[in-house]
Amino acid sequence: MILRATLAVLALAIGLASPAFAQETRSFTAANGTFDIPVAPQRIVALNDQIVALPLYELGAPLVGSAGRTDADGNHFLRGGMDTLGIDYANTDIAYVGGFNGLDLEAIAALSPDLIIGGPYTDPDVAEQLQKVAPTLLIDNGALGLVDTLKTLADVSGKSGSFDARYQRYLDNVERAKSYIGDTSVISITMTFMFPAGEELWVYRAGLGAIAQVLDDVGFAQPAVVAALAETQASWSAELIQDLDADFVFGFYRQQPDATPETIFAAYEKFAPGWCQALTACQNGQFVLLPGPTFGSTMAGLDLALELVENTVAGRPFTPFVEAP
């Protein structure tokens, strides 16, 4: 009954929307099937802000709507938009179309999109309903990884040329950074993630957006316990924090409003009192907090992460950590 009612409302919204214009199309296979999509889409709606909308905007794609977040005061915002690209709903023509898990189908239809892009987080039933509005592609960013997700978004939006040029510049800068740093395979780095509450510590082997991509591209090593993680990330025990020691240990701040550098340092202390003495990286000033945008899924995030990593590691003496055999 609920689905029929939703479809009826959606049909009305489609009827009110402007009729689609004739466009040259091509076939594209996404995670949810094969569809005819416009060769050069003119009105794209993103069903996720940080993973889909920001990369599309960065590419210069015609983004007319996006899912977003809502703060405690009821204001809608694009997660990472101001931090990474300096954009939000207020200073762009991007319309808010609900949360990624609470999409406003009428708002989407009213925008008359010719292409809709979501991901594995999109409700399959909702995606099926949106096929009545425009081809709705689910891009599996988890399976593709960051770079291939960006490449796919560039492809479906008709902006591959923009991506290729910028990605090549990034790869050139990776090689430059490696030439300054030296043999990166003998330098170990751990990625940790702590919220201000200090209740959980997460450790990442991979999958932490741009920063994880950069560390992998540059070729750094990881402590044995991190490299051996079965999953890309794991919740860590305070009693085992010394096992995370490395030449450099990275944490992050600014991933939420109260995540200042001071509150994040305090959170580590709350989680594992005396933690800094347990890590030679911290004792030697090689525990580094990076700003949250370094794990944004954009080329801007990759560029920022690379610059900060190069600035942290290259051209400076540091005390090597010798891992026990």
Side-chain angles (χ1 to χ4, degrees), residues 193-202 235-238 241 255-256 258-259 262-273 275:
F193 194 98
M194 174 74 76
F195 285 102
E199 296 172 344
E200 284 186 291
L201 175 65
W202 286 86
S235 179
W236 207 256
S237 168
I241 197 164
Q255 75 272 16
Q256 58 191 93
D258 57 345
E262 292 77 13
T263 60
I264 295 300
F265 269 115
Y268 279 92
E269 184 63 27
K270 177 183 176 182
F271 176 76
W275 68 282

Side-chain angles (χ1 to χ4, degrees), residues 2 36-37 48 60 64 79 113 117 127 158 175 187 207-208 245 257 305 315 324:
I2 294 175
D36 287 333
I37 67 172
N48 184 288
V64 296
R79 186 184 186 196
I117 304 173
E175 293 305 311
I187 300 174
L208 192 58
D245 212 353

Side-chain angles (χ1 to χ4, degrees), residues 152-174:
T152 300
L153 292 173
D155 178 23
V156 300
S157 64
K159 298 295 181 181
S160 290
S162 300
F163 171 80
D164 291 344
R166 190 160 181 179
Y167 184 55
Q168 186 57 54
R169 188 184 71 183
Y170 163 75
L171 293 177
D172 291 343
N173 286 336
V174 166

Side-chain angles (χ1 to χ4, degrees), residues 95-306:
Y96 174 74
V97 297
F100 72 92
N101 57 355
L103 295 165
D104 185 336
L105 304 191
E106 292 180 70
I108 294 173
L111 291 171
S112 300
D114 55 2
L115 186 64
I116 301 171
I117 304 173
Y121 38 80
T122 304
D123 185 325
D125 290 337
V126 171
E128 189 61 31
Q129 293 176 59
L130 288 174
Q131 301 291 357
K132 301 177 185 302
V133 178
T136 301
L137 310 178
L138 301 188
I139 307 298
D140 190 346
N141 60 293
L144 290 173
L146 188 148
V147 171
D148 281 342
T149 296
L150 296 181
K151 190 177 298 185
T152 300
L153 292 173
D155 178 23
V156 300
S157 64
K159 298 295 181 181
S160 290
S162 300
F163 171 80
D164 291 344
R166 190 160 181 179
Y167 184 55
Q168 186 57 54
R169 188 184 71 183
Y170 163 75
L171 293 177
D172 291 343
N173 286 336
V174 166
E175 293 305 311
R176 182 205 61 197
K178 290 166 68 174
S179 72
Y180 293 160
I181 295 171
D183 185 0
T184 55
S185 69
V186 299
I187 300 174
S188 58
I189 289 181
T190 301
M191 292 180 286
T192 62
F193 194 98
M194 174 74 76
F195 285 102
E199 296 172 344
E200 284 186 291
L201 175 65
W202 286 86
V203 178
Y204 284 76
R205 174 177 56 79
L208 192 58
I211 184 66
Q213 184 69 45
V214 164
L215 296 181
D216 186 56
D217 288 342
V218 176
F220 290 111
Q222 294 178 320
V225 293
V226 178
L229 289 175
E231 305 294 334
T232 57
Q233 63 192 70
S235 179
W236 207 256
S237 168
E239 289 74 23
L240 299 177
I241 197 164
Q242 69 279 358
D243 293 345
L244 302 178
D245 212 353
D247 291 314
F248 293 89
V249 178
F250 288 143
F252 302 90
Y253 66 99
R254 259 174 74 188
Q255 75 272 16
Q256 58 191 93
D258 57 345
T260 66
E262 292 77 13
T263 60
I264 295 300
F265 269 115
Y268 279 92
E269 184 63 27
K270 177 183 176 182
F271 176 76
W275 68 282
C276 194
Q277 290 305 308
L279 298 173
T280 62
C282 187
Q283 295 170 35
N284 291 297
Q286 291 156 211
F287 174 82
V288 180
L289 288 183
L290 301 175
T294 51
F295 49 82
S297 300
T298 59
M299 286 306 305
L302 284 173
D303 291 340
L304 173 62
L306 179 60

Side-chain angles (χ1 to χ4, degrees), residues 5 9-10 12 14 28 49-50 66 76 78 90 93 139 148 164 179 187 225 230 242 259 275 278 284 292 297:
V9 171
L10 186 59
L12 176 61
I14 294 170
F28 181 85
D49 47 359
Q50 192 167 36
S66 174
H76 304 311
L78 295 163
D93 293 328
I139 307 298
D148 281 342
D164 291 344
S179 72
I187 300 174
V225 293
Q242 69 279 358
W275 68 282
N284 291 297
S297 300

